[in-house]
Amino acid sequence: VFVQIVPLPPAVIHFPAPYGCPPFAPDIQVDSSFFAQEAMQWEWDFGNGVKSSSPQPQPIYETPGTYVIQLHVTSSEACEAVYMDTIVVHSLPEIDAGISKEVCIGGLTYLDAPVPNDDSNQIHWFPSDGLDCTDCARPLAGPAQPTTYFLQLTTPEGCQVLDSVDIRIRPYIQPTITVEPDTLICLGRSVKLEVTSDVPIFGYTWDRQDSTLSCHNCPSPVTSPKLSSQYIVSVTGEGGCVAIDSVYI
C-alpha cells in the first residue's frame, strides 16, 4: 500500500501593525505560499463575533479590546490547519471642547475644555486665529469674526479624537475700561476709585464688600479701607457687553 503524506496548508497570517484605534481595519497579510496550495476553504474568526470565508477579508473593529484572530484553512486534499494572531484596539479618551459662546466685538473668552488630566496626551486647537495658545486646555480666544474652533487630542498610542466649539460675535463693542492705578494711602485717609471707558457704560458693580465704600454701583466710589484691599469693578456696556478691571489700595 502506498501512503502519501500531504503537508498542511502553509498559511501564515501577519499584521504589520497589530494595534490601532477604533474604527480599526487591520492590514491582514497572508503568506503567498498559502494561495499556491489552492486552499479550498478559508474560515476566519475575528474574535469579535464576526466570521468570514474570504481569503483576504477586511474586518473593522469598533470597540477597544484585545482580539485573537483565527484562520482555519482546509486544502484541496482536505488537510486542515489553524493559525492565530492577536491584535489590540486602543481606547479613545472622551473630550469636550465646551459649550458655544458669544463675545462682543473686541471681547475675549476662555475655551474651557475638560480634557483628560494626562500629561502624555497632546492637545491642539485650530485654527489658531485669535488664540493665545494652541497646545493648552484653556486658551483665551478673541476671534475677529465668528469662528468654529476644533480641539484635537492625541494619545500616546497615536489615537486622535476631535470636538469643536462655536464662538459667535455679538454686534456690540466690548468696553475697554481704565481704573485708577494702584494707590498707597495712610490709615484713616480716603481715596476715590475712578473708572473711565471708551464707550458708554450703563452699569457698574464693585464686588468689594467694604462698609466704607460709598457706593457699589457708581463709577467713582470713595473708600477708606482699614486693611490693604483689592477692589474689582465690572461694567456693562451696550448689548450687555461686560468688562472687568481691578485696583489695589
Side-chain angles (χ1 to χ4, degrees):
V1 61
F2 178 75
V3 178
Q4 181 180 4
I5 305 299
V6 179
L8 295 175
V12 177
I13 57 177
H14 173 66
F15 305 95
Y19 48 84
C21 312
F24 178 46
D27 179 18
I28 300 178
Q29 297 185 359
V30 182
D31 192 301
S32 59
S33 59
F34 172 67
F35 299 103
Q37 291 291 319
E38 297 182 353
M40 182 171 58
Q41 292 182 346
W42 300 264
E43 296 179 12
W44 293 88
D45 185 337
F46 301 114
N48 61 349
V50 177
K51 301 179 185 296
S52 174
S53 58
S54 171
Q56 292 183 300
Q58 296 180 323
I60 297 178
Y61 292 83
E62 301 284 353
T63 305
T66 300
Y67 301 90
V68 176
I69 296 181
Q70 298 186 42
L71 171 59
H72 186 119
V73 293
T74 303
S75 70
S76 56
E77 293 85 8
C79 294
E80 299 180 354
V82 176
Y83 304 90
M84 295 186 297
D85 208 337
T86 301
I87 66 168
V88 176
V89 182
H90 299 299
S91 298
L92 293 178
E94 294 183 2
I95 64 168
D96 184 356
I99 61 174
S100 298
K101 297 182 178 181
E102 288 186 343
V103 296
C104 299
I105 299 171
L108 300 171
T109 186
Y110 281 102
L111 304 183
D112 298 301
V115 298
N117 186 19
D118 188 343
D119 292 339
S120 62
N121 293 322
Q122 296 181 359
I123 297 173
H124 179 61
W125 289 92
F126 64 93
S128 61
D129 299 346
L131 298 182
D132 69 337
C133 64
T134 58
D135 58 355
C136 57
R138 195 170 183 257
L140 188 62
Q145 58 187 0
T147 302
T148 297
Y149 288 106
F150 293 89
L151 170 61
Q152 178 179 280
L153 186 70
T154 304
T155 69
E157 296 81 17
C159 298
Q160 293 184 336
V161 286
L162 193 70
D163 198 18
S164 64
V165 60
D166 294 325
I167 304 298
R168 297 182 289 270
I169 307 295
R170 303 180 66 187
Y172 304 102
I173 297 176
Q174 174 73 20
T176 300
I177 62 173
T178 302
V179 183
E180 287 293 318
D182 295 346
T183 303
L184 178 66
I185 63 172
C186 297
L187 183 63
R189 299 292 298 273
S190 298
V191 63
K192 179 185 286 188
L193 308 179
E194 295 278 2
V195 180
T196 58
S197 174
D198 60 342
V199 297
I201 298 299
F202 301 98
Y204 299 82
T205 301
W206 294 88
D207 76 344
R208 178 69 184 177
Q209 298 302 314
D210 187 340
S211 60
T212 69
L213 199 63
S214 62
C215 64
H216 289 84
N217 57 359
C218 61
S220 305
V222 177
T223 184
S224 180
K226 297 179 180 180
L227 297 172
S228 297
S229 304
Q230 184 183 35
Y231 295 84
I232 301 175
V233 62
S234 173
V235 304
T236 303
E238 186 180 10
C241 300
V242 175
I244 298 175
D245 203 349
S246 65
V247 60
Y248 189 78
I249 305 297

